[in-house]
Amino acid sequence: MMVVGIVAACAVLALLAFVVPRLSRHPERGTQRTLGAGSRAGGKAPKILERIFSKPFRSSPKAAGHCGSAGPRARGRMPF
């Protein structure tokens, strides 16, 4: 269920970044902050469990940042 939510958020960010790149920065940062909360919460666990709990949440903020930056790159490659 969480994977579907992350994919949906990435799709919305990519579309928003393609259409209005300047206005997409705020939603992108908010998404990264929200998805990073899981990693921060997992980081408060004891030593060995910290790595196990926070690892799945480290890749989702990176994915949101990548999706948000893909829109302006694609827009720059447009022929018109």
Side-chain angles (χ1 to χ4, degrees):
M1 185 68 175
M2 187 171 179
V3 173
V4 173
I6 292 171
V7 170
C10 278
V12 169
L13 282 175
L15 180 68
L16 189 63
F18 185 76
V19 176
V20 280
R22 192 172 287 203
L23 296 177
S24 71
R25 291 298 297 159
H26 187 69
E28 180 184 342
R29 288 180 184 158
T31 305
Q32 287 177 347
R33 185 177 37 221
T34 303
L35 294 174
S39 179
R40 286 191 303 274
K44 294 180 181 179
K47 292 276 184 185
I48 295 175
L49 295 176
E50 171 185 355
R51 211 174 308 151
I52 295 170
F53 287 155
S54 67
K55 187 174 182 180
F57 295 104
R58 274 186 252 153
S59 60
S60 53
K62 279 195 285 186
H66 183 72
C67 290
S69 66
R73 278 195 317 240
R75 187 176 181 165
R77 292 184 194 144
M78 294 296 288
F80 48 87

